[in-house]
Amino acid sequence: MKFRKKPVVIDAVQWNGANLDDVAKLGGAREYEQDFVGDGLIIKTLEGDMKANKNDWIIKGVKGELYPCKPDIFEATYDKVE
């Protein structure tokens, strides 16, 4: 069987190691200050904690959940919406 991903518009921000305000806006009022690992950021996902490394994208899912995505996967999966 083959499946096609449904077209969904998502909100996302690319983590640059310092843009916590952008991440907080994406995920609501959640505080991330205690969630640093080097220049990475620990994201609380539905599957558990995941690390977003510098340049990873942080995506807001269809249920409002956040999760990190590697840049190459993001580029292959998503197109920018104007």
Side-chain angles (χ1 to χ4, degrees), residues 14-30:
Q14 193 166 27
W15 173 242
N16 67 16
N19 55 335
L20 279 175
D21 288 343
D22 295 333
V23 174
K25 289 176 190 171
L26 184 68
R30 173 137 160 49

Side-chain angles (χ1 to χ4, degrees), residues 49-65:
D49 293 353
M50 297 180 80
K51 182 180 175 189
N53 294 306
K54 193 172 180 180
N55 296 319
D56 284 354
W57 286 88
I58 301 172
I59 297 172
K60 186 174 189 176
V62 296
K63 294 184 177 182
E65 75 281 11

Side-chain angles (χ1 to χ4, degrees), residues 17-47:
N19 55 335
L20 279 175
D21 288 343
D22 295 333
V23 174
K25 289 176 190 171
L26 184 68
R30 173 137 160 49
E31 296 292 330
Y32 287 94
E33 283 78 1
Q34 302 301 317
D35 296 339
F36 282 108
V37 176
D39 63 358
L41 182 67
I42 302 301
I43 302 295
K44 310 288 185 199
T45 75
L46 297 176
E47 292 83 27

